[in-house]
Amino acid sequence: MQHLSEKTFKNEFVNNFPGDDSGDRKPRQTPGVFYSKALPTPVQKPVLLAWSSDLADELGIASPEAADVDILGGNLVTPSMQPYAACYAGHQFGNWAGQLGDGRAITLGEWETPGGKTFELQLKGAGPTAYSRRADGRAVLRSSVREYLMSEAMFHLGIPTTRALGLVTTGDKVVRDMFYDGRPAYEPGAIVMRVAPSFLRFGNFEMLTARNEIDNLKNLINWTIDHHYPHLQGEGRILQWFAEVVERTATMIVEWLRVGFVHGVMNTDNMSVLGLTIDYGPYSFLDNYDPDFTPNTTDLPGKRYAFGRQASIAYWNLSCLANAIAPLFPEIEPLEEQLKTFEDIYWTKYYEMMAGKLGLDAATQEDVPLVAELERLLTSIQPDMTIFYQLLIELPLELKDEHAIEKHFQPGLYEELGDADRTGLHQWVLSYLARITRNTCTREQSLEKMRKSNPRFVLRNYLLHMAIAELEKGQDTLFRKLKEALKDPYSRNFDEFFETRPGWATQQAGCSMLSCSS
């Protein structure tokens, strides 16, 4: 185990690609470079709020001492670190946005674990970079807590994600206009240390193609394959790489849908080429099951990034990546064919996922109508998604009466059932029970699949809102409880949080809707 302050960091990305080494943080266009050097801006008083011990153990990082906290706060850069902000572009809400880049994220370097794996360590909120545009490069406690907790929550749910190693408060105040309504206010500042094998995004490749830097594009793709897809060899490996990005992206989206996660800002600059969930902003888990729900105020009224549209947006984003790498192909038909595989991959994985949630022995073509009717029914009834599936696990096989079935699912309902929905639920349950009896696995095996597929605890926005409000008052009781609960989401150990969203949270800012302001 080594301290952050003692480690000799690697700098493979910086050493392999051209960058702007001036350290000038003035906002500007940076053609021809992959990054711009950027030293973190020191803060008044970094104080450790949270540390992910299990992640630290995996990386071989010792518990933080004073010098390590200074690194987490951006107040100390060791000699082996070469901090930089990456240059990338992106499509935001379907429109080309041009150069974007790390506006408030600074990568310190790469940490090599005792097992030989390499991870980038990145500070989010550590001050301005060449890509901050008109912003200050800082982050507030509110958004930093959300990023820290959700990164770890998604990991423990079994979903591909970046991680969060540490969270510090800075002792500084940061001005934010939370809902872009002309009412800016001071909020406490904070910084998260994020961890990933790589933070490369679709937008890194889009930027190079937009600038017609084709040699740089080819070099970045080959470097990405060498470091993160080393099993791909031979002349056709760029096409094989794209195929794997398609597959990983489809897997990630299906996993989001399994637990009811809505990312909220699926711009191409927020899409990882490793298939990781990245950039936790105005996200949410579903409370009531609503495919049209988006937690992002900026996404209204079109709801481009709503829960039920995430698969189609992922496909659209992959098409942008395909367009970006197309100059490396003499004919684009093979690239188009690989892009089109997304649909079959997605649906195959989706029905396998639903078979797990429903406790079916396998996903068959005959089960498609059962799943489709369930989705229609959930959309109409809008029960609490998490609680509905938990109640489905507990559904007695002998339960046949319409009113008894309604009573069984009552704890997960936000509204009383109308006659049509009551009848629809009754009919679907009868069909479901009939299908369960045809399972080739045992009942206990079926239930075990359901328990592993359906979390009992999810990090709901109203819980985050309450924890953040307490932290801003100097209290951390709920924050600590949530930090423990998210590590054990499939058990009953934290049933104090097993309840529907309270009525007050429906219209509460920071609970029902959020903005990108952080």
Side-chain angles (χ1 to χ4, degrees):
M1 303 289 279
Q2 289 182 281
H3 287 282
L4 290 172
S5 57
E6 299 171 340
K7 180 78 167 184
T8 299
F9 278 73
K10 298 178 69 175
N11 298 281
E12 292 289 328
F13 187 80
V14 167
N15 293 335
N16 275 276
F17 297 111
D20 181 342
D21 294 329
S22 69
D24 182 5
R25 293 176 297 187
K26 181 178 67 176
R28 63 194 184 279
Q29 295 292 308
T30 60
V33 302
F34 288 66
Y35 61 87
S36 293
K37 292 287 183 66
L39 287 173
T41 303
V43 298
Q44 182 176 322
K45 185 182 180 182
V47 175
L48 186 68
L49 180 60
W51 178 256
S52 300
S53 299
D54 56 340
L55 174 58
D57 291 344
E58 179 185 334
L59 298 176
I61 301 178
S63 297
E65 296 180 344
D68 305 311
V69 174
D70 280 340
I71 290 173
L72 293 172
N75 283 14
L76 174 64
V77 173
T78 63
S80 66
M81 297 175 182
Q82 297 186 39
Y84 70 90
C87 179
Y88 49 82
H91 284 84
Q92 298 191 325
F93 299 94
N95 299 305
W96 177 245
Q99 176 183 292
L100 298 167
D102 287 331
R104 58 196 178 95
I106 297 176
T107 300
L108 298 178
E110 296 136 18
W111 178 284
E112 187 173 14
T113 70
K117 295 181 179 180
T118 302
F119 292 85
E120 294 180 8
L121 302 189
Q122 185 180 88
L123 299 180
K124 185 172 182 178
T129 74
Y131 310 110
S132 297
R133 291 169 282 177
R134 294 182 299 275
D136 57 15
R138 292 302 188 187
V140 297
L141 180 65
R142 163 176 50 87
S143 64
S144 301
V145 167
R146 286 174 56 82
E147 173 126 19
Y148 176 85
L149 289 178
M150 186 55 76
S151 299
E152 294 305 283
M154 293 287 270
F155 171 77
H156 290 287
L157 284 167
I159 296 169
T161 181
T162 59
R163 302 288 301 276
L165 177 62
L167 169 64
V168 297
T169 56
T170 64
D172 295 330
K173 294 293 185 179
V174 179
V175 177
R176 285 294 179 269
D177 187 351
M178 183 174 178
F179 287 105
Y180 307 122
D181 58 1
R183 294 185 295 170
Y186 284 102
E187 297 186 49
I191 298 174
V192 177
M193 176 171 276
R194 308 196 296 185
V195 178
S198 173
F199 287 94
L200 282 171
R201 308 137 187 277
F202 291 9
N204 290 86
F205 304 88
E206 288 184 286
M207 183 77 275
L208 298 175
T209 303
R211 287 177 167 160
N212 201 31
E213 298 174 12
I214 306 307
D215 287 342
N216 280 343
L217 173 69
K218 186 174 183 179
N219 291 338
L220 180 59
I221 293 176
N222 283 324
W223 186 88
T224 301
I225 295 172
D226 288 342
H227 284 75
H228 304 292
Y229 295 81
H231 56 285
L232 300 179
Q233 302 292 328
E235 292 184 4
R237 70 178 195 157
I238 293 180
L239 185 62
Q240 295 170 355
W241 167 72
F242 179 69
E244 288 210 22
V245 175
V246 170
E247 191 275 336
R248 291 190 188 192
T249 302
T251 298
M252 178 187 72
I253 296 298
V254 168
E255 285 296 283
W256 288 2
L257 301 184
R258 176 175 67 84
V259 298
F261 178 76
V262 196
H263 184 279
V265 201
M266 287 181 65
N267 299 328
T268 58
D269 57 295
N270 293 336
M271 296 290 291
S272 161
V273 293
L274 301 186
L276 304 175
T277 313
I278 191 171
D279 286 343
Y280 292 96
Y283 63 76
S284 182
F285 284 107
L286 289 186
D287 292 314
N288 53 299
Y289 188 92
D290 180 5
D292 286 333
F293 172 68
T294 177
N296 186 357
T297 56
T298 314
D299 198 25
L300 298 175
K303 299 186 177 182
R304 176 181 175 84
Y305 298 144
F307 174 73
R309 298 181 183 176
Q310 293 180 120
S312 62
I313 292 299
Y315 179 82
W316 192 90
N317 288 344
L318 285 164
S319 73
C320 292
L321 178 60
N323 285 331
I325 68 175
L328 302 183
F329 292 83
E331 303 290 337
I332 64 170
E333 285 76 13
L335 198 57
E336 291 177 336
E337 289 304 312
Q338 287 297 339
L339 176 63
K340 290 176 182 177
T341 64
F342 176 86
E343 185 172 0
D344 285 342
I345 294 171
Y346 168 78
W347 285 113
T348 298
K349 290 178 177 289
Y350 180 78
Y351 285 115
E352 288 174 352
M353 176 272 289
M354 288 302 296
K357 289 183 75 67
L358 297 177
L360 308 183
D361 53 352
T364 68
Q365 191 62 36
E366 289 71 27
D367 295 321
V368 171
L370 183 73
V371 172
E373 176 57 21
L374 173 61
E375 291 173 343
R376 186 205 66 77
L377 188 66
L378 293 179
T379 302
S380 179
I381 296 175
Q382 296 201 11
D384 189 279
M385 178 178 173
T386 300
I387 295 177
F388 175 87
Y389 281 104
Q390 289 297 313
L391 295 173
L392 191 64
I393 295 173
E394 301 167 0
L395 181 69
L397 296 183
E398 68 278 3
L399 201 62
K400 308 290 180 159
D401 178 73
E402 181 175 295
H403 290 283
I405 290 171
E406 178 185 16
K407 183 178 180 180
H408 177 79
F409 287 101
Q410 189 68 44
L413 299 180
Y414 287 98
E415 302 286 346
E416 293 296 322
L417 296 185
D419 292 341
D421 284 336
R422 185 182 302 107
T423 300
L425 177 61
H426 178 231
Q427 292 174 344
W428 183 85
V429 167
L430 295 182
S431 298
Y432 169 70
L433 292 176
R435 171 61 181 87
I436 286 293
T437 62
R438 298 195 297 272
N439 270 348
T440 56
C441 62
T442 66
R443 178 58 176 160
E444 185 51 41
Q445 289 171 328
S446 171
L447 291 172
E448 187 60 21
K449 287 186 72 172
M450 297 177 79
R451 294 187 192 107
K452 290 180 178 179
S453 300
N454 297 300
R456 194 168 176 89
F457 170 83
V458 292
L459 197 58
R460 299 176 188 262
N461 270 345
Y462 83 88
L463 293 174
L464 283 163
H465 173 78
M466 292 169 63
I468 292 164
E470 282 191 2
L471 285 170
E472 290 177 343
K473 296 176 182 177
Q475 304 165 6
D476 66 355
T477 302
L478 181 55
F479 174 78
R480 299 294 170 193
K481 280 187 179 180
L482 295 179
K483 191 171 180 288
E484 292 306 310
L486 61 82
K487 297 178 184 178
D488 195 16
Y490 296 97
S491 80
R492 294 174 175 269
N493 292 335
F494 295 92
D495 272 7
E496 64 186 287
F497 302 120
F498 187 68
E499 59 183 6
T500 56
R501 177 195 64 233
W504 62 263
T506 304
Q507 301 298 327
Q508 175 67 45
C511 295
S512 58
M513 297 294 292
L514 303 109
S515 75
C516 296
S517 173
S518 53

